[in-house]
């Protein structure tokens, strides 16, 4: 049963990473992000930001009010280097 649960979790993660890739590709298509973004690394970094912040909720009692601006700052820092230069 443990293997089945791990496979389901990986499947969910993989689907979410693909969804993030789709969002990033749409941003590239709209000229918001650079054409040469790393379509493998960047979605995984964004996923890692999402996952890493669970510890604040679990151990520090952060709620949505604390997590949302924190995650936004992290994503802003990551994505600011990927914006299309105009």
């Amino acid at each position: 049963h443990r293997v089945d649960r791990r496979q389901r979790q990986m499947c969910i993660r993989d689907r979410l990473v693909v969804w993030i890739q789709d969002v990033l590709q749409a941003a590239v298509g709209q000229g918001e992000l650079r054409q040469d973004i790393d379509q493998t690394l960047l979605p995984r970094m964004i996923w890692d930001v999402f996952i890493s912040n669970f510890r604040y909720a679990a151990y520090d009692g952060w709620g949505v009010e604390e997590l949302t601006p924190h995650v936004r700052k992290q994503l802003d820092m990551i994505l600011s280097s990927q914006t299309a230069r105009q």
Side-chain angles (χ1 to χ4, degrees):
H1 296 286
R2 195 171 197 197
V3 172
D4 291 340
R5 183 168 40 153
R6 175 129 172 90
Q7 287 176 334
R8 279 195 310 274
Q9 289 170 340
M10 286 176 54
C11 183
I12 291 168
R13 183 202 63 215
D14 293 344
R15 286 188 296 190
L16 288 171
V17 169
V18 168
W19 179 79
I20 294 168
Q21 286 173 325
D22 291 344
V23 170
L24 293 172
Q25 193 57 47
V28 168
Q30 294 172 359
E32 296 174 13
L33 296 177
R34 297 181 352 203
Q35 296 285 325
D36 64 343
I37 65 169
D38 189 322
Q39 281 285 344
T40 302
L41 180 61
L42 190 56
R44 289 185 180 158
M45 288 176 68
I46 292 170
W47 173 255
D48 289 344
V49 164
F50 175 72
I51 292 300
S52 70
N53 284 293
F54 276 104
R55 72 180 176 87
Y56 292 113
Y59 298 111
D60 297 334
W62 285 21
V64 173
E65 298 81 20
E66 295 88 8
L67 285 169
T68 300
H70 184 71
V71 170
R72 282 190 177 137
K73 285 180 190 176
Q74 291 174 312
L75 293 176
D76 284 346
M77 289 184 77
I78 292 169
L79 293 174
S80 66
S81 66
Q82 303 301 310
T83 58
R85 305 284 186 236
Q86 297 183 19

